[in-house]
Each structure stands twice: as structure tokens, then as C-alpha cells.
């Protein structure tokens, strides 16, 4: 008999990979997605259709049905947060969740033995022989303590468990959570908090935000904790490769939405995209953490993004024609560590020292119609940049 499809998620890693395929690379057919078997594809696709049915679009190309996720623009909420609410559970999990919370809602502290006895009283009301041993109850109590749902304190020789007091938020605090859950790291936590309150609809709309970042919330939270406690980590990449390093800092691109980890490995700075990381494991304390922080502060002075190399920095001077004042204001906002000098009316020289100019290229292309001249000793990069512009012009049928 074929295995019955389950909407609940056992392994978020698989759902994460398929969500990215449908959201970012959403023009592939069933045969072109080779993450796993065709049956797994069908199960994950049906799961996404069930969870995000409002955002699923289909299209038939060459007699092949294409599925893709299309999230609306200018939205107040992130629809992908729902993916974190679909974890599977056992019969014991669901029973203990409601019974423990109901029992501890009496605002009293109980020992494990008292809780086990109370659970036996619950079970005595049923006709079947369903039983839960004390070790299972103890493990669940400790799990909820780690999650800070419960509070654990020792009195004499016994541990007592009680329910943590619910945090109350004012209307302004709830509004702040509505804002930060869409723009801050691990914003899904804010979404979980809001579900406990009858809050008004969010008053915020966002022109530029990256909903797919929530797919990396788990690994991001793990790395932030490692950085906070200054511990080394072992990371498993999506291609199966393992790497050990000291995590130092997380970067988030305002241009692409991609998030990067920068760490120290063998005395050198190393950067990794978070969406290429599958899982992580904490290791020993990082003895080189302070030295890594010093290296990263030094490297940031000559890097456009988190692409750190051992090359010698080169100064790049870009002459821009900016007749409109708002363009000059935009340059001031986006110059990063560069400097701006007015050469003459409407003519400005932007200067910056970089070890790798390729990170600056996407931003520089947005000024193509304003660039008068580029000066640098890196002639190889400069010639390639203008060669790319020439090829772009030819694609549009423009003369040189």
C-alpha cells in the first residue's frame, strides 16, 4: 500500500529546499527538479500547495505542468512563516502538551511524581490501556523548560515545575513586533508572539523585503547563538561537505536579500551563504574569536561586501555626472566607506579603496548613464567592465 501523504513536516530541510526551488527557481518541471525521488517531489509539492495555496501558480509549457510560488508585493506579513508551524508530533507529544499546560495553569509548582499521578488521573477516564511512563513525562518537562515554556526550580531534594508567566504587551509594543517581524533576523519569532494576542492588522507595508530569508531562520539562530557564546561550529553544506570554523558575523544584503556568514578558518576570513548551509553543530570555545573580530574590522575598510581576499587594495575613482540633486543625495547614502568630491558643477568624483571591485559591480551598473570616466590601476577589471557594457549595448542594438 502506498504511504499516505502527511501535511505535517518531519524534516524541515527537505521542505526548505523545495520551497526555494518553487519560489526562486520557479520555472522547472517535475523532471528538472532533482533534489530527491519523484514521489518525494509529489509529496513536497502537495504539502506546499496545502500550506500556501493562495500563492501557488501553475503553467503548462511543452505539455509539462510548472509550479511556482508567487508572493504578493507590498504585503504586511510574510506568508512563509506558516512553514514553521507544521512540525509533526507523536501521540505522546500532543497528549502531554495539552495535559501539562492544563495542569500547570493552576499557577502552582509540581514535582515530577505529582505530575505523573495527575496524568494517571486523566488516563483513568479513558477505556483504553494508554499509559505514559514517568521518564517520558520527565523528558517532556525538561524539553519545555529549555524552550522556556516552563520554569524549573529546586526545593530541598526535588525539582518543581511551573508555568512561566505570560508576557503582556501594550498596543505600541505589539505594533513594534509587527514591524520588526518583517525586517529583523528570525522574524518568525515575532509572528509566533502575535498569534497569542488579538492584535489589530499590521499597519505596515514594505516595498523591499525578502520573505525567503525566513527559510534560513533556523541556521541563522544557531549561528547567532554560537557568535554570542564565542564557540566554534561544524557546518554541513547542502552539497554534503562539512566545514569547521569560528563564526564572527552575519551579513545581510540589502540588494539581493542573501545572508552570509563570515568566519575564521586557518587564520583566514571565510564567507558562506546561509541558504547553502543545512545544519550545524557547536564545538569547543573559540580561542581565536577576538583575533577574528580584529581581522574582520580591518577587512571591512577595504571590502564592498563580505568578499574578503588577501589581495592588495586598489583605489578606484569614478567620475559621475549628477545634474539632479536627488542623485547626489542617493550617492551620499550608498557610498559606504567611499568618499565624494565635487570636481565642478554637476560633476562628482567617487573614490573608494577595495581589494575586490566585483562586489561593487551590481551597484555601479545602476549608474551606467551617469559614469563619465573610471580611473584605477586595476586595468584588467576596468577593461572587463567596459567590455560588458559594450556587449550589453550590442544586445539592445545600440552603437558603441
Amino acid at each position: 500500500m502506498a504511504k499516505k501523504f502527511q501535511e505535517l513536516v518531519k524534516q524541515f530541510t527537505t521542505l526548505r529546499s523545495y520551497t526555494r526551488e518553487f519560489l526562486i527557481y520557479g520555472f522547472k518541471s517535475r523532471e528538472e527538479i532533482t533534489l530527491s525521488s519523484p514521489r518525494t517531489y509529489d509529496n513536497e509539492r502537495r504539502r506546499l500547495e496545502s500550506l500556501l495555496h493562495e500563492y501557488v501558480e501553475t503553467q503548462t509549457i511543452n505539455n509539462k505542468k510548472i509550479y511556482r510560488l508567487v508572493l504578493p508585493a507590498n504585503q504586511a506579513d510574510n506568508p512563509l512563516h506558516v512553514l514553521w508551524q507544521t512540525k509533526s508530533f507523536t501521540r505522546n507529544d500532543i497528549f502531554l502538551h495539552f495535559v501539562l499546560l492544563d495542569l500547570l495553569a493552576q499557577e502552582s509548582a509540581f514535582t515530577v511524581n505529582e505530575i505523573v499521578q495527575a496524568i494517571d488521573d486523566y488516563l483513568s477516564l479513558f477505556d483504553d490501556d494508554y499509559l505514559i511512563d514517568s521518564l517520558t513525562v520527565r523528558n517532556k518537562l525538561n524539553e519545555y523548560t529549555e524552550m522556556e515554556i516552563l520554569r524549573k526550580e529546586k526545593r530541598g531534594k526535588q525539582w518543581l515545575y511551573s508555568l512561566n508567566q505570560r508576557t503582556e504587551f501594550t498596543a505600541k509594543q505589539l505594533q513594534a513586533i509587527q514591524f520588526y517581524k518583517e525586517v529583523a533576523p528570525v522574524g518568525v519569532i515575532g509572528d509566533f508572539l502575535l498569534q497569542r494576542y488579538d492584535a489589530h492588522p499590521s499597519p505596515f507595508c514594505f516595498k523591499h523585503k525578502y520573505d525567503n530569508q525566513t527559510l534560513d531562520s533556523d541556521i541563522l539562530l544557531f549561528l547567532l547563538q554560537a557568535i554570542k557564546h564565542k564557540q566554534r561550529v561544524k557546518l554541513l553544506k547542502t552539497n554534503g561537505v562539512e566545514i569547521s570554523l569560528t563564526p564572527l558575523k552575519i551579513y545581510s544584503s540589502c540588494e539581493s536579500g542573501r545572508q552570509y556568514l563570515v568566519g575564521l578558518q586557518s587564520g583566514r576570513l571565510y564567507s558562506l551563504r546561509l541558504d547553502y548551509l543545512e545544519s550545524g553543530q557547536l564545538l569547543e570555545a573559540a580561542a581565536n574569536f577576538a583575533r577574528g573580530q580584529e581581522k574582520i574590522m580591518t577587512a571591512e575598510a577595504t571590502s564592498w561586501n563580505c568578499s574578503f581576499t588577501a589581495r592588495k587594495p586598489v583605489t578606484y575613482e569614478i567620475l559621475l555626472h549628477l545634474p539632479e540633486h536627488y542623485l547626489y543625495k542617493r550617492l551620499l547614502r550608498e557610498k559606504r566607506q567611499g568618499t565624494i568630491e565635487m570636481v565642478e558643477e554637476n560633476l562628482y568624483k567617487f573614490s573608494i579603496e577595495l581589494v575586490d571591485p566585483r562586489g561593487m559591480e551590481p551597484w555601479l551598473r545602476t549608474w551606467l548613464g551617469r559614469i563619465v570616466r573610471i580611473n584605477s590601476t586595476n586595468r584588467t577589471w576596468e577593461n572587463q567592465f567596459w567590455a560588458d557594457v559594450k556587449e550589453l549595448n550590442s544586445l539592445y542594438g545600440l552603437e558603441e
Side-chain angles (χ1 to χ4, degrees), residues 104 108-115 138 141-142 145 151-162:
L104 297 174
S108 298
F110 297 90
T111 66
V112 175
N113 291 334
E114 290 172 335
I115 293 173
R138 188 186 300 273
L141 288 170
N142 289 332
T145 301
R151 184 172 61 253
K152 180 180 177 182
E153 56 183 335
K154 196 168 188 179
R155 292 183 188 172
K157 295 183 179 181
Q158 291 185 315
W159 287 102
L160 277 75
Y161 296 85
S162 58

Side-chain angles (χ1 to χ4, degrees), residues 320-366:
L320 297 166
H321 179 241
L322 307 177
E324 295 89 353
H325 184 66
Y326 75 89
L327 291 174
Y328 170 70
K329 298 289 286 185
R330 178 198 157 193
L331 185 61
L332 283 177
R333 290 196 310 269
E334 300 176 2
K335 67 182 180 63
R336 302 196 184 185
Q337 70 268 34
T339 59
I340 302 172
E341 177 186 349
M342 184 175 181
V343 178
E344 57 183 71
E345 186 178 3
N346 299 333
L347 207 59
Y348 298 87
K349 182 174 70 175
F350 169 68
S351 303
I352 191 168
E353 193 177 39
L354 297 173
V355 293
D356 186 0
R358 289 176 298 179
M360 181 177 61
E361 285 180 3
W363 174 80
L364 196 57
R365 292 190 195 106
T366 65

Side-chain angles (χ1 to χ4, degrees), residues 299-318:
E300 284 179 334
T302 56
S303 297
W304 183 263
N305 49 23
C306 59
S307 177
F308 303 123
T309 69
R311 300 189 190 101
K312 185 178 180 181
V314 174
T315 299
Y316 298 86
E317 295 181 348
I318 301 156

Side-chain angles (χ1 to χ4, degrees), residues 222-375:
F222 165 78
L223 292 170
L224 290 174
Q225 290 172 330
I227 293 172
K228 179 180 179 180
H229 297 292
K230 302 178 181 179
Q231 286 182 267
R232 286 176 52 78
V233 296
K234 179 189 288 186
L235 301 172
L236 176 64
K237 300 172 70 173
T238 52
N239 61 1
V241 175
E242 288 187 343
I243 181 172
S244 298
L245 49 71
T246 299
L248 299 172
K249 196 171 185 178
I250 303 293
Y251 288 80
S252 181
S253 171
C254 59
E255 297 171 345
S256 65
R258 290 174 181 161
Q259 299 176 103
Y260 298 83
L261 164 70
V262 173
L264 193 65
Q265 184 192 48
S266 302
R268 298 182 61 181
L269 294 175
Y270 195 85
S271 61
L272 290 164
R273 277 174 54 174
L274 261 59
D275 55 337
Y276 287 172
L277 302 179
E278 185 171 309
S279 60
Q281 176 186 346
L282 288 173
L283 301 177
E284 72 280 2
N288 58 354
F289 187 85
R291 182 162 57 91
Q293 290 290 341
E294 292 175 0
K295 286 180 71 72
I296 207 171
M297 288 181 63
T298 302
E300 284 179 334
T302 56
S303 297
W304 183 263
N305 49 23
C306 59
S307 177
F308 303 123
T309 69
R311 300 189 190 101
K312 185 178 180 181
V314 174
T315 299
Y316 298 86
E317 295 181 348
I318 301 156
L319 197 61
L320 297 166
H321 179 241
L322 307 177
E324 295 89 353
H325 184 66
Y326 75 89
L327 291 174
Y328 170 70
K329 298 289 286 185
R330 178 198 157 193
L331 185 61
L332 283 177
R333 290 196 310 269
E334 300 176 2
K335 67 182 180 63
R336 302 196 184 185
Q337 70 268 34
T339 59
I340 302 172
E341 177 186 349
M342 184 175 181
V343 178
E344 57 183 71
E345 186 178 3
N346 299 333
L347 207 59
Y348 298 87
K349 182 174 70 175
F350 169 68
S351 303
I352 191 168
E353 193 177 39
L354 297 173
V355 293
D356 186 0
R358 289 176 298 179
M360 181 177 61
E361 285 180 3
W363 174 80
L364 196 57
R365 292 190 195 106
T366 65
W367 298 94
L368 273 182
R370 307 291 179 179
I371 299 175
V372 177
R373 184 172 63 251
I374 297 177
N375 290 327

Side-chain angles (χ1 to χ4, degrees), residues 202-236:
S202 176
F204 303 103
C205 249
F206 301 90
K207 183 178 181 181
H208 299 295
K209 71 184 181 79
Y210 302 98
D211 292 331
N212 58 301
Q213 288 183 346
T214 193
L215 300 175
D216 307 321
S217 290
D218 190 28
I219 191 69
L220 173 60
L221 181 58
F222 165 78
L223 292 170
L224 290 174
Q225 290 172 330
I227 293 172
K228 179 180 179 180
H229 297 292
K230 302 178 181 179
Q231 286 182 267
R232 286 176 52 78
V233 296
K234 179 189 288 186
L235 301 172
L236 176 64

